[in-house]
Amino acid sequence: MGAWVTVCVLVRPAELSDCVHFIDIHCPELKGLPKRERLGRCGWWGDEEACAFLLRLYRGLGGEVFVAELNGEMVGEVEVLPHDDCLLDPRAYVNVLWVRKGFRGRGVGRALISAASGWARSEGYERLDTIPEEGSVTFYRKLGFKVVATQCKAEKRLVRKGVIPDLKCCEDVRAQDAPSGKTLVAGTYRPGLFSWFVAWFDTHTRYRTPVAYEVRCPSLEGGAWVALMDWFCRGRASLIAFTQGEPRVREFRSMVEVATQIALTTGVEDLFIQTWGKYVPALREAGYAVLKTNIPWMSLRIA
C-alpha cells in the first residue's frame, strides 16, 4: 500500500530580498538577458529593482504581496490591493496571481488565494475580486468565485486632421492631485490609485510621463472628471478615467470623445480603453474598435 505524501505550502508576506527571485516565478527563461529586454517581455517581475518598486508601491497603497514556498523554494506569489474606487463598491482585488510552471496543481494557488482572502478580511472587506486570465476561470470557480460583471477592451487609431484641438474645458493636474474618493470607470483592469501612481512614478516599464486633466462636464455628478493618459509603449496609451459617480452611457460617450481629443494633443497614436461591458455601445458610437467583450469580473464573498 502506497504512502501518502503531504505537500506543505508556506505562504508569507514578501520581503524586499525576495525580489531577486520573482523572475524565477514568472519568466525564468529570460534570466541572463539584458535588463531592457527582461522588462519589455516580463514587466516588473523580470528585474529586481523594478520588482522592489512594485512591492513598495503596494504597501504604500495599503496592499500586500504574499509569496509561496514549497520545500524551501519560492514557487508563487499573489498581489492584492484595496479597490475602494471600484464602480461595484469597495472591495479587495487580486491584481496578480502566478504560480511557477512545474508547480501548478499542487495547491499553491489555493494557498495564495487563502492568504489574500485572510488579508482582505482583516482589512474589513467583504469581497475579494479579480479579472482572471482566460485559462484561470475554472480555477477561480472551484474556489467559489462567481462572475458578477463583465468588461470590454477597445482601441482607436488616431488620425490628426488639420489644427490640433484646443482643450478649453481641461485643466492640468499633476501626480499630487490623485483622484482619491472618485470612481474608476476606464482603466478598470487594475485599481485606480495603483494605475495613477504607476503612471507617474514607474521609471522601469513606462514609456514617458503621463498627461492628466480635470475635464469640466456640467452633466456629470460633481461637474468634472479626471482623464489620465498612461503611456505603456511608444505611441500607445491607455485611458485611466475617474468620475464622481457612475456615468450614463451617453455621458461616457462624451467622455471618450474628449479623451480622444486629449490624446490628439499629446502624441498618442493608439488609444486603448478597458471599461465595463455596459459602455460597449458608447465606444462603438465614438468610433472605437471593440477588441473583446464579456471579460469576466469575478468575486468571492469572504465575510
Side-chain angles (χ1 to χ4, degrees):
M1 191 172 180
W4 290 95
V5 178
T6 301
V7 177
C8 183
V9 180
L10 171 66
V11 177
R12 59 173 175 80
E15 300 174 2
L16 284 174
S17 59
D18 294 323
C19 291
V20 69
H21 301 296
F22 273 63
I23 191 171
D24 295 314
I25 296 172
H26 287 266
C27 45
E29 69 279 4
L30 302 185
K31 293 179 73 172
L33 294 181
K35 177 177 180 176
R36 182 50 53 189
E37 187 170 354
R38 286 185 275 113
L39 286 169
R41 293 172 60 182
C42 193
W44 298 293
W45 309 279
D47 178 74
E48 181 180 358
E49 291 182 1
C51 192
F53 159 79
L54 184 66
L55 182 56
R56 291 188 182 100
L57 178 59
Y58 268 91
R59 290 181 175 151
L61 293 173
E64 188 55 274
V65 177
F66 295 95
V67 295
E69 294 181 352
L70 193 59
N71 298 325
E73 187 172 3
M74 196 178 301
V75 296
E77 61 112 357
V78 65
E79 303 168 12
V80 60
L81 280 164
H83 198 342
D84 296 334
D85 48 20
C86 181
L87 190 66
L88 301 178
D89 62 43
R91 52 204 52 222
Y93 185 81
V94 174
N95 214 27
V96 172
L97 170 67
W98 198 258
V99 177
R100 184 175 174 180
K101 291 180 181 178
F103 293 89
R104 296 168 186 172
R106 304 192 193 185
V108 177
R110 180 181 291 271
L112 287 166
I113 288 295
S114 177
S117 298
W119 172 87
R121 196 177 296 110
S122 71
E123 295 294 314
Y125 292 102
E126 297 182 356
R127 287 192 172 274
L128 178 67
D129 290 18
T130 193
I131 301 175
E133 299 284 341
E134 285 188 20
S136 300
V137 172
T138 299
F139 164 77
Y140 283 100
R141 285 191 189 279
K142 288 180 179 178
L143 295 182
F145 284 77
K146 296 180 180 178
V147 177
V148 295
T150 61
Q151 297 199 339
C152 64
K153 296 180 181 180
E155 191 171 44
K156 187 173 186 176
R157 178 77 176 177
L158 306 185
V159 179
R160 290 169 180 77
K161 297 179 180 179
V163 179
I164 293 177
D166 181 12
L167 302 175
K168 294 181 180 179
C169 65
C170 301
E171 182 177 342
D172 285 344
V173 295
R174 306 301 297 171
Q176 65 269 21
D177 303 314
S180 301
K182 286 186 166 50
T183 300
L184 181 70
V185 294
T188 48
Y189 43 88
R190 289 172 175 157
L193 289 182
F194 175 82
S195 294
W196 179 271
F197 287 109
V198 162
W200 287 106
F201 298 115
D202 176 19
T203 60
H204 305 278
T205 67
R206 280 331 186 244
Y207 174 68
R208 54 168 275 190
T209 303
V211 174
Y213 291 102
E214 183 175 71
V215 184
R216 292 187 298 278
C217 184
S219 66
L220 280 176
E221 181 182 345
W225 61 283
V226 176
L228 179 141
M229 298 292 163
D230 179 15
W231 291 76
F232 55 90
C233 65
R234 184 184 295 273
R236 303 187 71 200
S238 175
L239 172 65
I240 313 297
F242 301 85
T243 59
Q244 192 64 42
E246 181 176 354
R248 293 185 289 269
V249 173
R250 67 175 180 273
E251 292 171 335
F252 186 78
R253 176 186 173 180
S254 176
M255 290 170 58
V256 169
E257 289 171 342
V258 173
T260 305
Q261 298 301 303
I262 292 173
L264 285 167
T265 70
T266 57
V268 175
E269 297 171 3
D270 290 278
L271 184 59
F272 172 81
I273 298 176
Q274 183 160 334
T275 186
W276 300 95
K278 64 180 287 183
Y279 295 124
V280 167
L283 291 164
R284 287 185 170 138
E285 289 172 5
Y288 278 70
V290 177
L291 308 177
K292 192 169 184 180
T293 60
N294 296 318
I295 300 167
W297 177 287
M298 303 190 76
S299 182
L300 175 69
R301 180 171 289 280
I302 56 176

